[in-house]
Amino acid sequence: MAHDHHHDHQAVPSDPALRVKALESLLVEKGLVDPAALDLLVDTFEHRVGPRNGARLVARAWVDPAYKERLLADAPAAIAELGFTSGQGEHMLVVENDSKVHNLVVCTLCSCYPWPVLGLPPVWYKSAAYRSRAVIDPRGVLREFGTEVGEDVEVRVWDSTAELRYIVLPERPAGTENLSEDELAALVTRDAMVGVSRVPAPGEKA
Amino acid sequence: MNGIHDMGGMQDMGPVQYEKAEPVFHAAWEGRIFAINSSLRASGKWNLDAWRYQIELLDPVDYLRLTYYERWLEINEQLLVKHGLVTAEELATGTPAAGSTKAVPATRISGAGRGIPSSHDPTVPARFAVGQPVRARNSNPIGHTRLPRYARGRAGTIERDHGVYTFPDTNAHYEGEHRQHVYSVRFSARELWGEQASPRDSVYLDMWDEYLERA
């Protein structure tokens, strides 16, 4: 029962695996869903859409100032340039970190997240702990991720209350001047694009 | 509705639990309910705002106890029954009722969003301009809203006009789209949280025209 469990292993009223299986077979029999379409959706989000897409945007912005300008001014168009679509019909915005500003993205009311470029959100992003405290104590939350932000830096928290989806353009780490765009993309983490971490320098632990 | 989902500013939810190398889905059923949900959403049986409101209607104890995809399972079952696509008996037995008709499967899976044809609509006037000081309305609607409690009554500044969007407060209840401007509004952390907040920090919220009044 619930009180016997640590809260990250929540108790369930009945086996969700069995319920989902029964629901899917009912909906297929009634013609309300197509199992092939379901397979395609699972495959898309397990294998095709994820933070590697976002990392491409960041790396391109780091090496190509004109692209960065377009990305900050009109993210959907700049994202489309790299062949990624924003399949949810939402509008994307890219916010830039620099020496004076650190951006952090949250959705306090549900779990809005930029799916087309970061994939589906991790559990911590959807958790009550993150959603509740990111707005009132962003520096404390950042510290839990090992990210210290100086008092001289402004922390901007973006609460995704409408259909705008936010991606952080992190700072390019020092010592990466000679890296190629592909090598840079490999450094960029999901967490840095949500704003809870910085991009680690090559060889530095994320 | 002033529900548990509106949790911005709460402080008793514990530290953030981080999982290294987290998989996209933790079990196969999570992927299936994700796909079932997306597929039903794409078929347009209910809109995204109504979907969000259904989650908000979960009992608060359930809301906190259930995992993310367990909530999706719950509300998909509820919405299917609510919209007459499935009966409670069919859900309980897992088989269609005798003589029930078969729908044409929805195979189109893209375009599952709110259905915003364009955020640029010159026929919808903006009530506020970039740079203008504003105040979030103090209101406590019993239905769906995207105006979090922590911002109500607080003063901020319009930073950006995002264009025109469907109004969730009415759309969730099928009372019309009431398309209006959405703005990025900057609130200083101190305005929201008082002296304990860093004087430099700020929170940006996206707010519909009707959530705002002149400051």
Side-chain angles (χ1 to χ4, degrees):
Chain A
M1 295 310 292
H3 57 270
D4 296 321
H5 286 250
H6 191 258
H7 72 265
D8 59 356
H9 293 287
Q10 292 151 323
V12 296
S14 65
D15 185 346
L18 295 178
R19 276 173 66 195
V20 171
K21 204 173 171 191
L23 179 64
E24 180 177 337
S25 93
L26 175 66
L27 295 177
V28 169
E29 280 195 59
K30 289 179 75 81
L32 290 166
V33 298
D34 171 6
L38 303 185
D39 293 344
L40 182 61
L41 272 160
V42 172
D43 181 63
T44 299
F45 281 90
E46 273 195 324
H47 303 296
R48 289 173 220 287
V49 177
R52 290 300 98 215
N53 296 5
R56 308 280 345 164
L57 308 176
V58 170
R60 176 67 56 86
W62 283 346
V63 299
D64 180 348
Y67 181 77
K68 177 175 139 180
E69 212 169 289
R70 294 199 295 281
L71 185 65
L72 294 171
D74 183 357
I79 290 167
E81 276 184 51
L82 297 196
F84 308 129
T85 54
S86 49
Q88 299 300 307
E90 300 134 341
H91 291 221
M92 297 271 174
L93 271 175
V94 177
V95 289
E96 184 184 14
N97 282 355
D98 58 29
S99 59
K100 297 273 190 295
V101 175
H102 185 95
N103 294 284
L104 179 69
V105 179
V106 66
C107 172
T108 61
L109 294 173
C110 48
S111 301
C112 297
Y113 192 74
W115 290 9
V117 288
L118 294 190
L120 297 177
V123 167
W124 63 259
Y125 183 87
K126 302 178 284 194
S127 71
Y130 183 74
R131 286 168 48 196
S132 61
R133 230 154 22 85
V135 284
I136 191 172
D137 183 23
R139 289 168 187 267
V141 168
L142 285 165
R143 228 169 277 126
E144 284 171 29
F145 283 87
T147 307
E148 286 291 339
V149 177
E151 284 304 323
D152 57 331
V153 174
E154 177 190 348
V155 174
R156 288 184 187 162
V157 182
W158 299 85
D159 189 355
S160 317
T161 48
E163 296 313 308
L164 289 299
R165 297 291 170 268
Y166 292 88
I167 315 146
V168 175
L169 174 57
E171 278 189 284
R172 181 171 175 169
T176 59
E177 295 74 15
N178 299 319
L179 296 190
S180 69
E181 190 177 329
D182 284 349
E183 290 168 326
L184 288 169
L187 289 179
V188 179
T189 62
R190 172 198 68 201
D191 294 357
M193 293 182 280
V194 179
V196 292
S197 303
R198 295 190 177 87
V199 175
E204 190 188 333
K205 210 167 148 35
Chain B
M1 184 176 60
N2 293 343
I4 186 62
H5 68 282
D6 183 3
M7 49 177 62
M10 293 183 74
Q11 297 169 309
D12 58 350
M13 299 294 184
V16 178
Q17 309 268 343
Y18 190 86
E19 181 182 350
K20 279 187 181 155
E22 184 178 331
V24 175
F25 300 114
H26 287 77
W29 70 263
E30 291 193 345
R32 300 317 282 182
I33 192 62
F34 166 78
I36 289 169
N37 177 81
S38 302
S39 197
L40 291 172
R41 278 271 306 108
S43 65
K45 305 289 193 251
W46 43 81
N47 69 49
L48 180 56
D49 299 305
W51 182 93
R52 289 201 179 112
Y53 186 56
Q54 197 67 31
I55 289 191
E56 293 163 13
L57 290 174
L58 287 171
D59 180 278
V61 175
D62 288 338
Y63 185 97
L64 290 175
R65 184 171 46 105
L66 299 176
T67 66
Y68 183 71
Y69 289 115
E70 284 167 358
R71 286 181 210 147
W72 284 32
L73 171 58
E74 284 291 333
I75 66 136
N76 274 280
E77 289 181 346
Q78 292 171 2
L79 285 165
L80 283 162
V81 173
K82 195 171 180 173
H83 288 262
L85 297 168
V86 159
T87 66
E89 291 70 28
E90 287 176 321
L91 273 185
T93 61
T95 47
S100 68
T101 53
K102 184 164 172 144
V104 177
T107 49
R108 196 173 142 269
I109 55 163
S110 61
R114 183 184 292 278
I116 333 158
S118 167
S119 61
H120 302 286
D121 185 345
T123 66
V124 179
R127 289 172 57 230
F128 301 100
V130 171
Q132 190 173 346
V134 289
R135 188 173 292 281
R137 283 183 196 279
N138 178 18
S139 68
N140 294 275
I142 203 76
H144 180 62
T145 187
R146 298 289 291 180
L147 172 53
R149 264 176 285 182
Y150 76 84
R152 295 176 195 168
R154 304 297 182 186
T157 310
I158 304 273
E159 290 290 324
R160 186 170 181 151
D161 184 338
H162 291 307
V164 174
Y165 289 83
T166 298
F167 190 45
D169 298 40
T170 50
N171 196 47
H173 306 289
Y174 298 94
E175 292 166 359
E177 294 195 351
H178 293 274
R179 285 161 60 78
Q180 54 192 271
H181 281 255
V182 170
Y183 312 90
S184 176
V185 184
R186 177 188 183 276
F187 295 87
S188 78
R190 287 221 161 154
E191 167 71 9
L192 297 174
W193 314 113
E195 292 299 303
Q196 73 191 70
S198 162
R200 288 184 192 278
D201 296 352
S202 53
V203 182
Y204 288 70
L205 287 90
D206 291 323
M207 305 184 98
W208 276 263
D209 223 319
E210 280 186 47
Y211 293 168
L212 296 169
E213 57 195 19
R214 284 167 204 283

